[in-house]
């Protein structure tokens, strides 16, 4: 059994990455970019705003827990669908840092000039037209992977796929 795993690990880098059929959202904080990969292909890409500091936008692997159209902004009691609402037209909440998808999210904005910058309190902002498209592509439980990397998005995705296979072959004991 162990010999099989050792042999597989030797040849794993030579194998093409496995393809995940479900959409996967990749956010690269280094490039202020968000992409979606489906069946190994990039099907969506947009510029994004991220946290003012590196620590504000958490890095890691998360899952979409909430999807909302015209989200209500609880902090300042601003109804959805109004120009004053900083969440824009969509909310895609994910479970970072033990939350339930209502604290950290990917959302639109009423400040389109902020896109591509480090300005948020931790969320990932997209242009409203982009978050509306993303909202239609992904589903609840879609994976969200947030990294800070100098690699291209396809390379980040391929690494994520390989790392997932490595986790299956080498479960923590």
């Amino acid at each position: 059994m162990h010999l099989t795993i050792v042999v597989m690990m030797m040849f794993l880098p030579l194998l093409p990455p496995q393809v995940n059929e479900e959409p996967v959202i990749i956010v690269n904080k280094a490039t202020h970019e968000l992409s979606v990969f489906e069946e190994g292909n990039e099907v969506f890409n947009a510029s994004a705003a991220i946290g003012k500091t590196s620590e504000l936008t958490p890095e890691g692997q998360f899952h979409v827990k909430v999807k909302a159209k015209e989200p209500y902004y609880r902090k300042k009691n601003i109804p959805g669908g109004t120009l004053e609402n900083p969440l824009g037209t969509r909310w895609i909440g994910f479970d970072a840092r033990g939350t339930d998808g209502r604290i950290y999210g990917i959302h639109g904005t009423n400040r389109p000039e902020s896109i591509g910058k480090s300005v948020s309190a931790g969320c990932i902002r997209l242009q409203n037209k982009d978050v509306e498209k993303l909202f239609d592509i992904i589903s609840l439980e879609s994976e969200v992977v947030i990294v800070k990397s100098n690699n291209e998005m396809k390379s980040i995705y391929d690494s994520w796929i390989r790392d997932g296979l490595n986790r299956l072959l080498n479960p923590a004991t």
Side-chain angles (χ1 to χ4, degrees):
M1 172 78 170
H2 290 309
L3 180 59
T4 303
I5 291 174
V6 170
V7 171
M8 288 179 72
M9 292 307 292
M10 287 175 36
F11 292 103
L12 188 62
L14 304 175
L15 297 174
Q18 299 296 312
V19 175
N20 188 7
E21 295 179 11
E22 297 296 318
V24 177
I25 301 167
I26 308 278
V27 178
N28 188 349
K29 294 179 359 178
T31 59
H32 293 87
E33 184 178 13
L34 181 149
S35 291
V36 175
F37 287 86
E38 191 169 5
E39 297 182 2
N41 298 307
E42 186 178 51
V43 296
F44 177 83
N45 180 274
S47 184
I50 61 168
K52 290 177 192 175
T53 66
S54 187
E55 297 77 31
L56 287 174
T57 301
E59 294 177 26
Q61 185 171 321
F62 313 104
H63 292 92
V64 172
K65 296 296 181 183
V66 177
K67 288 178 64 178
K69 292 182 178 181
E70 304 298 342
Y72 176 80
Y73 187 53
R74 294 183 298 167
K75 246 183 188 177
K76 295 192 177 177
N77 197 26
I78 302 173
T82 65
L83 293 177
E84 297 79 28
N85 190 317
L87 301 179
T89 60
R90 301 289 184 275
W91 173 265
I92 302 166
F94 53 92
D95 59 352
R97 297 182 176 149
T99 62
D100 62 359
R102 299 186 189 284
I103 305 296
Y104 292 96
I106 301 164
H107 61 80
T109 184
N110 62 353
R111 294 185 45 224
E113 71 280 359
S114 70
I115 303 304
K117 300 175 183 168
S118 299
V119 295
S120 81
C123 287
I124 298 149
R125 296 181 193 167
L126 301 178
Q127 299 281 354
N128 285 323
K129 67 178 176 59
D130 290 332
V131 79
E132 289 170 9
K133 184 174 180 182
L134 176 64
F135 189 91
D136 291 339
I137 294 171
I138 58 96
S139 60
L140 291 175
E141 297 303 323
S142 288
E143 296 206 51
V144 179
V145 178
I146 303 174
V147 299
K148 187 172 186 177
S149 172
N150 292 322
N151 293 332
E152 294 183 3
M153 294 301 264
K154 177 67 169 145
S155 175
I156 294 168
Y157 172 78
D158 290 345
S159 293
W160 173 78
I161 291 292
R162 265 193 304 277
D163 288 347
L165 185 56
N166 283 333
R167 283 190 302 274
L168 285 175
L169 293 174
N170 299 303
T173 54

